[in-house]
Amino acid sequence: MKRMTGLKKRDKTDIIHSGGGVSCIDMNGSPKRKQCVFFYSLFAISLLIPSLVFSGISFIETLHLMKWFFALAPIAFITLAGGISLAAKGVHDTGFRIDHFGWTWFLMLLYISFQPLLTNISSWSTYLKGWFFFAGIWAAYIFSYNFFHDQRWHRGILWFANINAAINVIFAEMQFHLERAPFPFVMNVPGKYVGNVGQQNMLALWSAMALLNAAYLYITISREQQKNSSHKIFHILNFVLAAVNAWGLWSASARVVAAGLLIALGVLALAVYRTGGSKTSLKRIGFFTAGIFCMFLIVLSLAMSSGFGRGTELIYKTENMLREPETIGYRRTIWETSWQMVKDHPVAGVGIGHYKWHFLEAQGELQRKNPEREWQYTYWAHSEILQWLAEFGSIGLVLLVSTAVWWVALFVRAMVQRKALSMEAMWACAMLFLISCTALLTRPYHRAEFMVWYAFAFALANRELFPVAPAQAGFVWERACRIFGGVLAVGALCGLLFLFSGVYGEMCMRNALRTKNVELQLARINKALAIPMTKDDAEEQYAYHLVGRARASQLRRDWEPAIAQLYRAFHIQPKAKEMIDLFSIAQQTDDQELYMELLQMMPKRIVDADGKGLQPEGADGGER
């Protein structure tokens, strides 16, 4: 399909990309209008809603569950409908195809599927969450690759994303300046600067993504709009939102994200310059970047002169890193622990999502080798590349690096050959650089709301950077595609059942904590134990239910099953709290075997039975 621009009257919609895939838009009528509304509406929900919602007090998982739900459930519904359509009509009638990059991504999914045969999976709930997460993001890629062709929807989504980010900045200001959140839909974390995104550096990334969107919107307002007064309103709104989001990026004080934004704007400028963009577009990128710098200077001036806001935080953190470069921003011990984990599991890794369940073991081993190292307990490696290596092993790292090198090589070739790219593809390339650069020191790969954007950007870029996937023909291929469509539909249905049942299981566990009726509490825990997504968390809750009973009765017959269940829960999902409680019980009961086992994981300074100082970093809003 040819890219259509400059139409004063658009009876249908703009087609923004050439290359592989089939649009759900019919230019000769509108028999596919319902499919368009279905796909674009669900995809917009997946991109826009998760960053503005959180789970709240109705769930044990107070932050991420609703984000997963709104990010992945719409993708699952799209996959279910698309899989059924492919199974019923075949690839010839639907035009559905998967490009080479999509098949490489699918190869990674296959590797994850067989990973339990290569490594020990202690928490199957964690593994299944990781598998469905990875599969859902892959599905987001292949369906946006095939069906997202509407320029107006693309721009509309970017506008609403920028509004979403600005609202999050306002929420963050409330959290930082007020003792309590004034509204129930704002996370109540006084003194934090996280918004409803839930984590400071992720709020910074969301603000940076909005600023990149603003740069794109600034340079792509059509000439038709410039002939009337409406373009002025759009320009003003765009700059107001950009100013708010620039304030949020600076106040969130994430150095790597700020650097990633500059790289992304540079990539956007390079793409415009090398692929035939207008000089006006290039000048607008330079003007927008200069505006961001001016905004940062204004924020810094306000902060230095009046102490207003958090403008000096980024300066302080940067100076501190320069004064103590050996700490690598206080990441040295965490990275050394991660490397210890890699050395212990070099080939297949510890398993998807299992980094956090191996951290105590690796930290204990590191402490034995280097007693002078400071104890730092966390659930993530502070580097997605290092965490990927720990979880996926050298096999997974080879797949990741080879795919990344392949993509970068095609991008460089497009720049060298001055290949014509649409502005949407240029935006996508810049977005990929932004998220990938920040992944070096943050964790966007573990947040569904950001990975959907990552898949979306890959889809828009790859349709123009990669060679078009060749169409296949023949009875065998058609039959194979129909079977594949059925597999997609079944996988999507299983994912929806897994997610919906998990929401119910989380509610059961939360309600169990709200009742003082022992039998009712046990009944609710048992419901959660029967659900795959919540089974392992319910094992922990069941253990503390038994511990509570034993403490109340002080009978040995109650303590024995309580200790056994707590020990079982600890080995499924090793956490500091269970470690401290088991250590205390081992001392009280003179259980030398349990005492010595736990001692291997303990920091030398552990004396407090309450475990203060051993809470994971980001416990207020970090990944569990």
Side-chain angles (χ1 to χ4, degrees):
M1 277 181 263
K2 296 182 179 180
R3 184 171 179 245
M4 301 176 63
T5 56
L7 298 182
K8 294 183 179 180
K9 295 183 180 180
R10 294 179 174 91
D11 295 331
K12 301 303 170 187
T13 53
D14 289 349
I15 306 302
I16 63 174
H17 300 292
S18 61
V22 59
S23 173
C24 64
I25 301 168
D26 191 336
M27 301 300 291
N28 299 316
S30 57
K32 296 185 179 182
R33 184 173 298 277
K34 291 182 179 179
Q35 292 94 317
C36 286
V37 173
F38 174 82
F39 169 76
Y40 286 118
S41 298
L42 286 178
F43 204 73
I45 290 173
S46 183
L47 290 170
L48 296 174
I49 301 300
S51 295
L52 206 56
V53 301
F54 62 100
S55 302
I57 61 174
S58 297
F59 304 96
I60 292 290
E61 169 52 84
T62 57
L63 175 64
H64 294 290
L65 183 61
M66 285 297 100
K67 294 184 180 295
W68 296 336
F69 182 87
F70 283 105
L72 298 179
I75 300 300
F77 281 116
I78 290 172
T79 306
L80 179 62
I84 291 174
S85 178
L86 182 60
K89 300 179 181 179
V91 71
H92 177 74
D93 291 336
T94 61
F96 185 85
R97 64 180 61 182
I98 300 177
D99 70 323
H100 302 304
F101 187 88
W103 283 120
T104 304
W105 200 332
F106 184 70
L107 182 62
M108 294 184 188
L109 183 60
L110 287 180
Y111 169 68
I112 294 172
S113 302
F114 289 101
Q115 197 177 23
L117 300 178
L118 305 174
T119 189
N120 179 41
I121 300 298
S122 64
S123 173
W124 283 96
S125 292
T126 301
Y127 171 79
L128 290 173
K129 287 178 188 177
W131 192 94
F132 279 113
F133 172 87
F134 201 91
I137 301 304
W138 173 75
Y141 171 78
I142 62 171
F143 282 99
S144 54
Y145 179 91
N146 277 275
F147 297 117
F148 205 105
H149 293 264
D150 193 325
Q151 187 182 64
R152 292 180 302 180
W153 272 93
H154 178 249
R155 292 185 182 179
I157 285 173
L158 297 194
W159 275 111
F160 279 104
N162 290 5
I163 294 171
N164 177 315
I167 292 173
N168 265 296
V169 172
I170 295 171
F171 288 171
E173 291 293 328
M174 291 180 183
Q175 293 162 343
F176 183 68
H177 291 289
L178 302 179
E179 293 183 0
R180 183 173 180 82
F183 306 108
F185 51 81
V186 180
M187 287 187 66
N188 187 35
V189 283
K192 302 293 183 180
Y193 200 89
V194 297
N196 279 2
V197 177
Q199 190 185 10
Q200 188 168 303
N201 54 15
M202 290 295 98
L203 174 63
L205 177 57
W206 190 224
S207 298
M209 290 168 63
L211 289 171
L212 181 61
N213 295 344
Y216 163 83
L217 292 170
Y218 178 52
I219 63 178
T220 55
I221 294 177
S222 67
R223 292 181 178 179
E224 286 72 24
Q225 286 180 312
Q226 294 180 18
K227 293 178 180 179
N228 55 57
S229 61
S230 65
H231 81 283
K232 296 181 180 179
I233 298 175
F234 284 112
H235 274 311
I236 292 172
L237 177 59
N238 192 29
F239 278 113
V240 169
L241 292 174
V244 174
N245 289 317
W247 176 278
L249 173 58
W250 183 272
S251 298
S253 65
R255 295 152 294 184
V256 67
V257 178
L261 175 61
L262 293 179
I263 292 172
L265 290 172
V267 168
L268 184 60
L270 174 66
V272 170
Y273 174 71
R274 295 294 300 179
T275 60
S278 67
K279 292 183 179 179
T280 301
S281 297
L282 196 60
K283 289 179 180 178
R284 287 188 172 186
I285 295 174
F287 178 78
F288 185 87
T289 304
I292 296 298
F293 270 114
C294 290
M295 179 62 193
F296 284 170
L297 291 175
I298 292 172
V299 172
L300 181 60
S301 299
L302 287 173
M304 298 294 289
S305 61
S306 63
F308 180 71
R310 290 165 45 88
T312 57
E313 182 71 15
L314 183 61
I315 300 297
Y316 169 77
K317 290 170 67 174
T318 303
E319 289 178 348
N320 193 61
M321 187 176 69
L322 293 175
R323 284 196 305 267
E324 302 176 0
E326 70 280 358
T327 67
I328 320 176
Y330 300 108
R331 289 175 171 85
R332 178 175 177 176
T333 300
I334 296 173
W335 285 3
E336 288 179 335
T337 302
S338 303
W339 185 245
Q340 181 63 49
M341 194 184 304
V342 171
K343 290 191 292 185
D344 292 340
H345 307 270
V347 180
V350 298
I352 184 171
H354 275 61
Y355 174 90
K356 53 195 170 188
W357 307 140
H358 287 263
F359 189 85
L360 286 174
E361 178 186 7
Q363 179 86 129
E365 182 66 24
L366 179 66
Q367 288 282 306
R368 286 193 293 275
K369 294 179 179 179
N370 302 279
E372 75 283 357
R373 289 288 182 262
E374 180 186 1
W375 181 277
Q376 286 182 275
Y377 177 45
T378 183
Y379 283 154
W380 63 293
H382 290 254
S383 169
E384 289 286 20
I385 307 304
L386 189 55
Q387 185 150 347
W388 180 286
L389 177 58
E391 292 189 352
F392 292 82
S394 55
I395 299 175
L397 185 66
V398 168
L399 287 172
L400 176 68
V401 172
S402 58
T403 304
V405 170
W406 181 27
W407 190 91
V408 171
L410 288 174
F411 173 77
V412 171
R413 187 179 70 175
M415 297 300 101
V416 172
Q417 296 179 351
R418 295 183 176 272
K419 183 176 182 179
L421 297 177
S422 67
M423 279 304 306
E424 291 73 29
M426 297 181 200
W427 166 87
C429 291
M431 183 63 71
L432 290 171
F433 273 93
L434 170 59
I435 298 176
S436 299
C437 288
T438 57
L440 295 175
L441 296 175
T442 60
R443 54 173 173 177
Y445 294 174
H446 284 75
R447 299 292 294 265
E449 61 270 34
F450 292 105
M451 285 305 290
V452 173
W453 280 88
Y454 205 46
F456 178 44
F458 265 123
L460 298 192
N462 289 357
R463 280 210 300 259
E464 301 186 38
L465 289 180
F466 277 61
V468 177
Q472 301 290 332
F475 174 79
V476 175
W477 177 253
E478 186 74 17
R479 179 61 60 88
C481 289
R482 287 176 181 265
I483 294 173
F484 186 72
V487 172
L488 287 178
V490 171
L493 183 60
C494 290
L496 285 170
L497 292 174
F498 180 79
L499 185 57
F500 277 97
S501 65
V503 171
Y504 174 71
E506 286 270 346
M507 295 178 67
C508 287
M509 289 193 293
R510 187 63 183 175
N511 290 333
L513 295 178
R514 289 174 173 170
T515 181
K516 294 183 180 180
N517 185 307
V518 176
E519 297 304 322
L520 181 58
Q521 184 180 81
L522 181 59
R524 290 171 175 173
I525 293 173
N526 283 332
K527 289 181 180 179
L529 280 168
I531 296 173
M533 183 173 170
T534 57
K535 183 181 183 301
D536 293 342
D537 290 330
E539 292 276 7
E540 176 189 345
Q541 196 170 30
Y542 178 49
Y544 281 106
H545 171 83
L546 294 179
V547 169
R549 281 190 168 190
R551 284 174 177 163
S553 68
Q554 288 299 318
L555 296 175
R556 186 171 183 82
R557 69 168 183 265
D558 290 335
W559 271 114
E560 289 179 353
I563 295 172
Q565 179 60 27
L566 187 58
Y567 183 81
R568 168 182 165 80
F570 175 72
H571 277 275
I572 292 173
Q573 297 183 344
K575 299 177 183 177
K577 185 179 187 302
E578 287 88 335
M579 181 178 69
I580 297 299
D581 290 339
L582 281 170
F583 190 70
S584 177
I585 291 172
Q587 289 176 312
Q588 294 171 17
T589 60
D590 197 28
D591 188 333
Q592 290 298 313
E593 183 178 354
L594 179 59
Y595 176 86
M596 293 304 297
E597 178 182 343
L598 295 170
L599 190 63
Q600 301 300 312
M601 302 181 186
M602 293 288 192
K604 287 187 174 181
R605 61 182 174 82
I606 182 62
V607 181
D608 319 345
D610 60 3
K612 288 182 179 178
L614 285 177
Q615 292 303 312
E617 295 182 15
D620 60 301
E623 180 199 11
R624 291 172 59 231

